Amino acid sequence: MNALDEITESFSRLPGIGKKSAARIANHLLRADSVFMARFANQIATLQEKIKACSVCGSWTEEDPCPICSAVNRDRTLICVVEQPQDVVTIESSREFNGLFHVLGGVISPLEGMTPDKLRIQSLLERVKNEGVKEVILATNPTVEGDTTALFIQRLLRETGVAVTRLASGLPVGGDLEYADRLTLARSFRGRTSF
């Protein structure tokens, strides 16, 4: 295996990139100028050093706490619970939500070894109890695992007295928030229902 095959194989391991796309990217990089290549290589090499999980919400950030958790103009009585950090970016792009976020780091999926204790559920409960939260919006993906996780969290929050809502229909069943368009997300937030 030569260097071109190796880089193509590495790119094909990224989500959403097949063998053909990986080969196209590798060939494009071979034609790219050396300044771009040096900057690109440095960005990849230092990505995990620069970007960390926010100690409050769990979203990706360079500053801790992240800009969303630090913002004084956000509604601190609302917490939107999502599965992954990229879901925060997706919801933020809708411009419909002005509260805080909480990233679980996955969903309950016993077959994949993801049990509730491996998710950031305990820190969510602590935030709800200690930070004056009035509503928790469960924005897990509308999948079996996402629904199971939402139901589990809803049962835990029942005794806290906070309102627990779920995003309204409009998101496709079996789909991911990452792929939802802005209008669908906006309608889902406006039409959320009690859980």
Side-chain angles (χ1 to χ4, degrees):
M1 185 180 279
N2 65 30
L4 184 57
D5 293 336
E6 288 175 0
I7 194 72
T8 300
E9 175 64 27
S10 292
F11 280 127
S12 70
R13 291 179 60 195
L14 296 172
I17 299 180
K19 290 276 187 195
K20 286 183 180 181
S21 294
R24 261 187 244 115
I25 293 169
N27 282 294
H28 174 78
L29 292 176
L30 284 171
R31 293 186 301 272
D33 69 86
S34 59
V35 174
F36 168 78
M37 286 298 294
R39 188 175 73 241
F40 185 57
N42 184 56
Q43 289 168 339
I44 291 173
T46 61
L47 182 64
Q48 290 182 330
E49 294 170 18
K50 292 181 178 178
I51 306 294
K52 302 288 184 207
C54 174
S55 61
V56 178
C57 71
S59 185
W60 298 129
T61 185
E62 287 188 61
E63 311 159 14
D64 192 23
C66 73
I68 293 173
C69 290
S70 300
V72 294
N73 61 338
R74 297 195 73 105
D75 185 348
R76 298 191 167 283
T77 66
L78 286 174
I79 292 182
C80 180
V81 178
V82 296
E83 295 177 15
Q84 299 294 344
Q86 60 263 31
D87 297 332
V88 173
V89 175
T90 303
I91 291 172
E92 278 293 284
S93 72
S94 75
R95 297 188 178 126
E96 284 291 319
F97 181 68
N98 191 38
L100 302 176
F101 289 93
H102 190 86
V103 179
L104 295 172
V107 288
I108 298 170
S109 180
L111 293 176
E112 294 180 18
M114 288 300 285
T115 52
D117 60 301
K118 293 183 179 175
L119 301 176
R120 299 182 68 249
I121 295 173
Q122 188 58 43
S123 59
L124 170 65
L125 296 175
E126 290 170 13
R127 288 180 74 188
V128 168
K129 290 176 184 174
N130 300 327
E131 296 178 16
V133 175
K134 294 181 181 172
E135 180 182 357
V136 173
I137 303 165
L138 298 173
T140 55
N141 290 316
T143 61
V144 172
E145 295 84 0
D147 289 343
T148 300
T149 304
L151 185 60
F152 182 82
I153 293 170
Q154 184 264 337
R155 287 182 180 159
L156 291 176
L157 290 173
R158 194 178 290 159
E159 63 192 50
T160 66
V162 300
V164 180
T165 58
R166 183 101 164 101
L167 291 186
S169 61
L171 294 173
V173 174
D176 287 335
L177 284 173
E178 184 177 359
Y179 301 112
D181 63 285
R182 289 181 184 181
L183 181 59
T184 300
L185 270 174
R187 286 180 180 162
S188 294
F189 265 99
R190 276 188 241 118
R192 66 184 185 268
T193 57
S194 293
F195 194 75

